[in-house]
Amino acid sequence: MVLELQKPRPIWQIMFSTHHTDVGLLYLIMSLGFLFLGGALALAIRAELFLPGAQFIGDAMTFNRMFTVHGTTLIFLFLLPFASAVGNYFVPIMVRYKDMAYPKLNAIAFWMIPPAGALIWLGFADFTWYATPPYSIISAPGPAADMWIFGLKILGISSILGAINFIVTILKCKHPDMSIGQVPLLAWSFLSSSLIVLVAIPTFAAALLMLLTDRLGVSGFFNPAMGGDPIAYAHLFWFTFHPEVYVLVIPAIGMMYEIIPRFSRKPIFSYNSGVFAFVLLSVVSFSSWAHHMYATGMSFTEKTVFMVGTLAAVPASAMHVFNFIATMWNGRIKFATPMMWAVGGIALFFSAGAGGVVNSAMPLDFSTHDTYWVVGHFHLFVMGTIAFGSIGYLYYMFPYVTGRMYNEKLGVIHFILSFIGTILVFFTQHILGLYGMPRRIFDYPPIPEWIAMNQIATVGAMIIGVSMAIFLANIIYSSGKGKIANTDDPFGLGGKYYYPFEQKNPHH
Amino acid sequence: MGGHSNWPEWIYIGIVIALMTWVGAEAWNVERLVEHIPADAEVIKVTGQQWFWSFEHEDGTKEIGELHVEAGKAYKFEIYSKDVNHSFNIHDYVVLMDAVPGRVNTVWFAPDKAGEHDIQCREYCGLIHYNMRGKLIVEEPSS
Ligand code: HEM
Ligand SMILES: [Cu+2]
Ligand SMILES: [Cu+2]
């Protein structure tokens, strides 16, 4: 492991490096930067919705641009690169190889992201994270829309390159003494999610090009005025992005598989069941995409097929939850910061999944679709599960990256505030959806229930904001001035099998 | 699986599968019933455009932003869009259907008592999406 900050190096040495831990560090820092940028937009959105009427965001267009860039940023510029950071650091070590299979390709995949991020932020498009035609073709203002399309295009290519690298590293570069059945679950999670990326992303990549030529007026794939069909785009988009949600969640589950057994001081309950559930999820994730499209006018038969496909994925997710609980059962659990985030994340994962089942049931979805319920649903995943797992893992890897310990008290406060805030925001949004408030609205009529729910959600968001400020201060301060960590056992867990990774980086 | 006994996991998975089967069967059954449009339903053409709703009754009467119907009758909405996607929504009656240019989608409802309800757009459609709202006015039966 690198002790980056103990042996300071000039920044350009890290930037021009192709070594996996250096690229991992770049991914880590960049993704955290985007977490705070995207989070700031979220706070502004919540502040605007505190009361009906325009508050401080001048006009609806600015608001629409803000939630579009918020979603795009946190999914593509925070969650995905954060997972890549962890994968870069740990996958080669876990399969006992000196680096990623293709180090240069790895660095290229990383360096494609900042320009893509710049395109998205400088453009500031308004057509939501799914760029639905025909709005995105005939109505969305350029050049913002075109910049977003190019940004996403670049991100898609970067994802594909990253996925190829992980797959080859795990399957072809693992130590000859190691069978695939010995590869840790975290590495398995990268293998599964990378396979999903390879199958899923090309579809959206094609749709993006079609969208671009439609905007240029040279084609009419999705433009009804030229004989095209907007619903075709919806199918292509969701064929990619329903599986993509598993690309996000699977590595986060993998991170929890590292944390939970260690802090329970027990081996994982069932390694095989973890592997099986990952592989199963990556297959069934392709059977449910049109559950996002029940209200587009699909036939009863189509809706039924996709409902069954969606429900079929539930047992696989449920297996992970079981595995975690069974691992903790009778363990000598140490509730240090990483463990709190992981366990909190599992609790929220469970509640998020329960809401997902409601969405899947056709007649119920007509109450929830495109209301705040859906916003609450997927945020319990992206924030409650994936970001929680990721942040827990960040605390967990902190001593390895910096050689120092973060402040445990502040880490716990960060968790408690974020957990309360997440419940206040996203559980409330489920209820708000049942009261009928549509998503993506800049302003709303003064319906008392809507006002009350919005205010609770805004307060929750501010609590998360405060906790994140504490987090930022903690990691910045501790990486320079924190207590020197005992890198053999930074969390004082004892025992021999907790840190099987090599401590020294052969690169330095 | 593994070297050790795993029966609690199998029982648990069995329960989850049973639950999902029940949810799916129940949803299938309810959806089948609610999608059955009564033969005597009166047709109302609904058109969404940036950023208002307009309605045309069977007898040719047109309304904008407001829709008058009678309690105790069944209505079938034929939903059109003139520009981008919208979604026609009367939340109180769980009426929700996208308005997609180039397509006609249908959905029906039967208001049971007189009253006023909100109509809104639930699919993002641009600048004034947030205020693409209307009123449904359910009147007492005329006869
Ligand atoms: C595994 C992690 C999951 C993530 C990250 C996730 C994410 C999302 C996202 C982003 C959306 C909304 C997309 C949009 O309209 O912008 C969504 C909607 C939906 N999710 Fe999930 N989801 C997950 C799991 C599940 C599960 C387990 C189920 C069902 C059992 C489910 C069922 C649904 C349904 C039916 C919708 C459509 C709701 C609607 O638009 O009416 N999701 N999810
Ligand atoms: Cu989905
Ligand atoms: Cu709208």
Side-chain angles (χ1 to χ4, degrees):
Chain A
M1 207 67 35
V2 230
L3 304 178
E4 299 295 350
L5 301 170
Q6 279 188 335
K7 279 180 285 168
R9 285 177 292 157
I11 182 87
W12 55 264
Q13 253 189 29
I14 298 174
M15 288 174 65
F16 294 116
S17 166
T18 59
H19 189 70
H20 70 104
T21 54
D22 290 336
V23 178
L25 190 66
L26 292 172
Y27 267 117
L28 188 68
I29 293 169
M30 184 201 65
S31 65
L32 290 177
F34 280 117
L35 166 65
F36 284 94
L37 282 174
L41 289 180
L43 293 185
I45 292 168
R46 281 309 333 155
E48 175 59 46
L49 293 173
F50 188 73
L51 283 170
Q55 304 305 313
F56 73 103
I57 298 174
D59 59 308
M61 190 45 119
T62 311
F63 182 86
N64 298 342
R65 291 177 188 274
M66 285 168 67
F67 69 67
T68 300
V69 176
H70 159 77
T72 314
T73 299
L74 287 166
I75 291 179
F76 299 107
L77 301 169
F78 165 57
L79 290 180
L80 281 179
F82 186 89
S84 301
V86 171
N88 266 285
Y89 256 102
F90 291 93
V91 166
I93 293 167
M94 287 183 166
V95 300
R96 294 198 267 144
Y97 189 62
K98 60 185 184 328
D99 202 333
M100 293 289 284
Y102 307 114
K104 289 203 186 79
L105 196 66
N106 195 28
I108 291 171
F110 169 78
W111 282 108
M112 293 173 81
I113 300 177
L119 282 171
I120 289 162
W121 273 79
L122 296 176
F124 231 60
D126 79 305
F127 52 21
T128 84
W129 83 284
Y130 47 81
T132 337
Y135 180 78
S136 54
I137 299 172
I138 60 176
S139 220
D146 311 282
M147 289 165 80
W148 187 93
I149 292 173
F150 274 102
L152 267 275
K153 192 86 208 160
I154 298 172
L155 291 173
I157 298 169
S158 158
S159 271
I160 290 175
L161 297 182
I164 293 173
N165 225 337
F166 280 126
I167 293 171
V168 178
T169 309
I170 296 166
L171 293 183
K172 291 287 165 198
C173 303
K174 70 177 161 47
H175 196 278
D177 290 350
M178 197 178 203
S179 79
I180 189 76
Q182 291 167 328
V183 169
L185 284 172
L186 181 67
W188 264 104
S189 75
F190 279 91
L191 182 60
S192 325
S193 65
S194 303
L195 287 168
I196 302 180
V197 165
L198 283 196
V199 181
I201 298 273
T203 305
F204 181 59
L208 267 178
L209 275 187
M210 292 152 88
L211 199 63
L212 184 70
T213 54
D214 277 11
R215 273 184 67 81
L216 295 173
V218 295
S219 64
F221 297 110
F222 310 128
N223 186 353
M226 292 172 75
D229 182 6
I231 300 302
Y233 176 88
H235 279 291
L236 297 176
F237 181 92
W238 288 117
F239 179 82
T240 295
F241 282 102
H242 182 77
E244 180 84 1
V245 307
Y246 288 97
V247 172
L248 299 167
V249 85
I250 286 176
I253 304 256
M255 296 176 209
M256 293 173 180
Y257 273 125
E258 279 297 297
I259 295 171
I260 287 180
R262 299 250 146 73
F263 287 85
S264 305
R265 291 182 264 212
K266 251 183 86 192
I268 191 82
F269 170 75
S270 171
Y271 171 89
N272 288 350
S273 140
V275 171
F276 181 74
F278 279 146
V279 175
L280 187 64
L281 264 183
S282 49
V283 176
V284 290
S285 67
F286 285 94
S287 67
S288 52
W289 76 86
H291 62 209
H292 298 275
M293 299 166 59
Y294 288 148
T296 54
M298 287 199 301
S299 73
F300 178 61
T301 314
E302 284 172 290
K303 280 186 290 207
T304 305
V305 168
F306 285 103
M307 174 181 72
V308 172
T310 307
L311 295 174
V314 175
S317 307
M319 280 169 79
H320 290 303
V321 175
F322 184 88
N323 217 344
F324 289 137
I325 294 175
T327 302
M328 291 192 292
W329 201 264
N330 279 335
R332 284 193 304 123
I333 302 178
K334 175 157 184 176
F335 275 107
T337 307
M339 184 64 171
M340 289 190 170
W341 284 94
V343 174
I346 295 164
L348 295 172
F349 181 57
F350 184 83
S351 1
V357 173
V358 172
N359 292 338
S360 319
M362 304 175 270
L364 298 180
D365 184 62
F366 288 90
S367 287
T368 63
H369 177 64
D370 270 341
T371 66
Y372 260 93
W373 171 289
V374 171
V375 180
H377 157 72
F378 71 78
H379 277 90
L380 281 186
F381 281 109
V382 292
M383 171 76 193
T385 310
I386 307 169
F388 269 49
S390 302
I391 291 173
Y393 203 83
L394 180 75
Y395 281 113
Y396 175 66
M397 68 195 272
F398 191 87
Y400 293 102
V401 179
T402 63
R404 293 174 186 273
M405 280 310 277
Y406 56 84
N407 181 308
E408 176 71 22
K409 234 185 229 133
L410 293 181
V412 171
I413 293 175
H414 176 203
F415 167 75
I416 292 173
L417 292 181
S418 279
F419 191 68
I420 295 172
T422 301
I423 287 174
L424 285 180
V425 182
F426 303 119
F427 281 38
T428 313
Q429 288 184 342
H430 279 77
I431 305 170
L432 188 52
L434 296 181
Y435 279 119
M437 177 161 164
R439 59 193 288 204
R440 303 185 166 127
I441 59 176
F442 161 64
D443 191 10
Y444 54 93
I447 300 168
E449 293 86 356
W450 289 19
I451 299 177
M453 296 293 143
N454 271 298
Q455 295 190 335
I456 297 173
T458 301
V459 170
M462 297 306 153
I463 295 177
I464 298 176
V466 169
S467 80
M468 290 294 169
I470 295 174
F471 168 55
L472 188 65
N474 191 1
I475 54 174
I476 291 180
Y477 180 83
S478 306
S479 51
K481 300 242 165 65
K483 267 205 324 275
I484 301 291
N486 162 15
T487 42
D488 289 330
D489 186 11
F491 299 98
L493 298 169
K496 59 180 182 346
Y497 60 85
Y498 301 120
Y499 298 103
F501 317 127
E502 219 187 313
Q503 300 287 327
K504 294 277 174 297
N505 179 353
H507 185 63
H508 298 293
Chain B
M1 279 200 163
H4 53 100
S5 131
N6 226 352
W7 60 267
E9 185 166 15
W10 288 113
I11 292 178
Y12 164 84
I13 293 171
I15 293 172
V16 173
I17 292 177
L19 257 173
M20 292 308 119
T21 311
W22 173 72
V23 169
E26 198 68 2
W28 180 83
N29 198 27
V30 171
E31 185 64 17
R32 191 173 55 97
L33 297 176
V34 298
E35 276 192 20
H36 180 79
I37 304 178
D40 62 346
E42 239 176 68
V43 175
I44 300 178
K45 282 189 181 163
V46 178
T47 305
Q49 70 197 83
Q50 287 171 326
W51 289 277
F52 60 93
W53 296 105
S54 45
F55 307 96
E56 187 180 335
H57 293 268
E58 253 176 17
D59 62 5
T61 355
K62 291 186 180 160
E63 301 185 71
I64 289 182
E66 267 190 9
L67 174 61
H68 290 81
V69 295
E70 278 179 25
K73 274 195 187 171
Y75 294 90
K76 173 178 162 188
F77 296 113
E78 283 180 0
I79 302 170
Y80 300 80
S81 164
K82 280 206 171 146
D83 39 42
V84 303
N85 294 353
H86 304 274
S87 197
F88 178 67
N89 176 217
I90 308 167
H91 189 72
D92 293 347
Y93 279 105
V94 199
V95 170
L96 178 78
M97 191 51 69
D98 288 356
V100 181
R103 294 202 176 206
V104 187
N105 283 336
T106 53
V107 62
W108 75 283
F109 89 131
D112 49 357
K113 57 175 191 290
E116 269 194 31
H117 304 274
D118 286 330
I119 294 175
Q120 57 187 10
C121 174
R122 232 156 83 180
E123 179 71 70
Y124 180 72
C125 56
L127 192 63
I128 318 286
H129 165 57
Y130 70 92
N131 206 15
M132 185 165 163
R133 305 182 65 83
K135 271 266 169 295
L136 170 76
I137 295 141
V138 184
E139 292 163 348
E140 297 293 353
S142 47
S143 47

